[in-house]
């Protein structure tokens, strides 16, 4: 995977296509041709070409195919917006090269670092969530023969879905990796207080991102737990071991500045959500944070497993396993 934004100056024959409700196939010259759609009434005095089909209405229980295109190519930008309260009840799936199982299969909100059902804005290199619910992904997603993106609705009502998936038709090198995600949720950790972010995957790849949503379930500081990467045959002990949860996400000292959690959102890491934002060290507070391993990918040759400990701090000066913690994570990685 190349650095985002690299080689913008290259004129190498790639062609840009974009799929939306206004051009469902992405075909050349096929945009804004609709004569009916969700904007037809508003455009009734204007005629063809005037925002007749800007979105789709996705009924409860239905799955919409947002994109189904032939390769080779690379998705460069994926934007979507919908009913904000439904982010956890819509399932996003992406299939590469006619594989029967999706490489990406998770609640829509968790792909965009919004796992708590309350909108959290963030501004990063790979994911941007903009007012008032614009979901943007800049993860490069290559495919050789075919790519398919679907969205399933299980929220109990019909929701509007506006979307645009932009890709380039281009030749690909032999060494490409396909983007995968793994969503994992543990409602109550129990003993041991360890959550598996990514169970063992086999093959060669690069781990490139983590989103963590946690409710600690106990008062006091909750982020002493280490994030561990078990590489290429590691068993009891990992090759890469961090020094604490807030440290892994680029923060320090409990995220506490003058008795207040301070949120931040940067290009590659952030603590972008604290609920409620006015409290500190409460057991039922909820947090969302992300880290993109774009400048520092975790490369593996044979296999990879990733875990995080849920570990708090006792007033007596001892660690406290957070057995009542609730954790949900999303892992991003490229794999051959």
């Amino acid at each position: 995977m190349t650095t985002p934004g690299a080689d913008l100056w290259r004129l190498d024959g790639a062609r840009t296509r974009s799929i939306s409700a206004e051009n469902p196939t992405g075909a050349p010259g096929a945009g804004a041709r609709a004569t009916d759609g969700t904007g037809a009434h508003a455009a009734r005095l204007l005629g063809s070409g005037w925002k007749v089909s800007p979105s789709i209405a996705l009924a409860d229980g239905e799955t919409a195919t947002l994109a189904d295109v032939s390769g080779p190519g690379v998705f460069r930008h994926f934007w979507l917006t919908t009913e904000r309260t439904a982010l956890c009840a819509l399932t996003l799936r992406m299939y590469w090269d006619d594989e029967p199982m999706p490489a990406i299969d998770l609640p829509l909100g968790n792909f965009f670092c919004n796992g708590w059902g309350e909108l959290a804005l963030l501004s990063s290199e790979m994911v941007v969530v903009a007012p008032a619910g614009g979901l943007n992904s800049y993860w490069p997603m290559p495919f050789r023969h075919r790519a398919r993106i679907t969205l399933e609705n299980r929220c109990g009502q019909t929701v509007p879905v506006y979307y645009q998936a932009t890709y380039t038709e281009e030749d690909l090198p032999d060494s490409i990796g396909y983007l995968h995600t793994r969503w994992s949720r543990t409602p109550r950790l129990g003993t041991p207080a360890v959550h598996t972010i990514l169970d063992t995957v086999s093959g060669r790849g690069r781990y490139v991102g983590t989103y963590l949503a946690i409710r600690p379930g106990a008062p006091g500081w909750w982020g002493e737990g280490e994030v561990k990467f078990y590489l290429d045959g590691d068993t009891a002990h990992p090759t890469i071991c961090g020094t604490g949860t807030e440290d892994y996400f680029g923060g320090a000292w409990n995220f506490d500045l003058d008795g207040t959690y301070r949120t931040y959102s940067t290009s590659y890491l952030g603590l972008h959500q604290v609920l409620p934002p006015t409290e500190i060290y409460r057991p039922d507070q909820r947090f969302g944070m992300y880290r993109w391993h774009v400048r520092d990918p975790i490369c593996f040759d044979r296999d990879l497993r990733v875990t995080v400990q849920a570990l708090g701090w006792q007033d007596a000066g001892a660690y406290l396993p957070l057995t009542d913690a609730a954790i949900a994570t999303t892992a991003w990685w490229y794999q051959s």
Side-chain angles (χ1 to χ4, degrees):
M1 189 186 72
T2 60
T3 300
D7 295 343
L8 288 178
W9 48 267
R10 290 177 57 187
L11 305 179
D12 54 7
R15 297 161 303 278
T16 299
R17 303 288 183 253
S18 194
I19 295 173
S20 68
E22 288 281 22
N23 188 348
T25 67
R33 287 177 172 244
T35 58
D36 193 16
T38 58
H41 181 74
R44 67 190 183 280
L45 302 180
L46 301 176
S48 176
W50 288 92
K51 202 172 181 177
V52 173
S53 181
S55 64
I56 62 172
L58 185 57
D60 179 51
E62 291 189 351
T63 297
T65 297
L66 304 184
D68 190 346
V69 299
S70 299
V74 182
F75 278 99
R76 301 291 183 176
H77 177 232
F78 178 51
W79 167 84
L80 187 148
T81 191
T82 184
E83 169 59 49
R84 294 191 297 268
T85 60
L87 294 182
C88 295
L90 303 176
T91 300
L92 177 68
R93 298 184 178 96
M94 300 187 185
Y95 303 77
W96 312 130
D97 291 355
D98 290 319
E99 287 291 331
M101 300 298 293
I104 294 170
D105 185 353
L106 75 173
L108 178 68
N110 290 78
F111 187 76
F112 293 97
C113 305
N114 270 250
W116 286 118
E118 296 187 34
L119 188 69
L121 305 184
L122 69 129
S123 179
S124 76
E125 188 78 41
M126 312 314 295
V127 172
V128 175
V129 178
L135 310 175
N136 298 268
S137 167
Y138 285 95
W139 288 109
M141 297 183 287
F143 55 96
R144 290 197 183 281
H145 310 298
R146 184 187 183 194
R148 189 158 56 96
I149 301 175
T150 70
L151 188 67
E152 181 183 6
N153 179 11
R154 295 288 180 184
C155 77
Q157 63 181 3
T158 298
V159 296
V161 179
Y162 297 78
Y163 66 95
Q164 190 149 19
T166 301
Y167 68 101
T168 50
E169 297 177 331
E170 60 181 281
D171 294 330
L172 300 175
D174 293 338
S175 59
I176 68 163
Y178 295 86
L179 184 65
H180 292 68
T181 63
R182 182 71 53 81
W183 175 67
S184 179
R185 176 175 173 266
T186 308
R188 181 183 180 276
L189 283 183
T191 303
V194 175
H195 172 82
T196 298
I197 297 173
L198 180 61
D199 211 348
T200 302
V201 295
S202 299
R204 175 174 293 178
R206 292 188 174 196
Y207 185 92
V208 293
T210 307
Y211 165 62
L212 169 67
I214 182 171
R215 180 188 60 78
W221 170 234
W222 46 269
E224 292 293 333
E226 297 171 335
V227 178
K228 300 179 179 181
F229 293 85
Y230 297 81
L231 306 176
D232 299 333
D234 288 342
T235 54
H237 300 286
T239 294
I240 300 174
C241 184
T243 60
T245 305
E246 85 275 45
D247 307 334
Y248 172 75
F249 291 99
W253 302 113
N254 306 10
F255 297 128
D256 179 351
L257 190 60
D258 301 326
T260 303
Y261 290 123
R262 297 294 182 92
T263 58
Y264 58 99
S265 181
T266 76
S267 295
Y268 299 110
L269 43 78
L271 169 73
H272 62 294
Q273 189 169 35
V274 176
L275 298 171
T278 56
E279 298 181 2
I280 191 167
Y281 300 139
R282 306 301 300 170
D284 291 323
Q285 281 189 276
R286 294 165 292 157
F287 305 88
M289 59 211 82
Y290 64 91
R291 176 166 175 178
W292 309 137
H293 291 277
V294 173
R295 302 287 183 178
D296 58 339
I298 308 297
C299 303
F300 56 98
D301 283 327
R302 289 185 290 139
D303 54 68
L304 174 68
R305 180 167 59 95
V306 187
T307 65
V308 60
Q309 301 164 326
L311 200 61
W313 184 258
Q314 303 184 61
D315 291 337
Y319 296 131
L320 174 67
L322 299 175
T323 57
D324 289 327
I327 290 182
T329 54
T330 304
W332 285 259
W333 78 99
Y334 287 89
Q335 188 172 356
S336 60

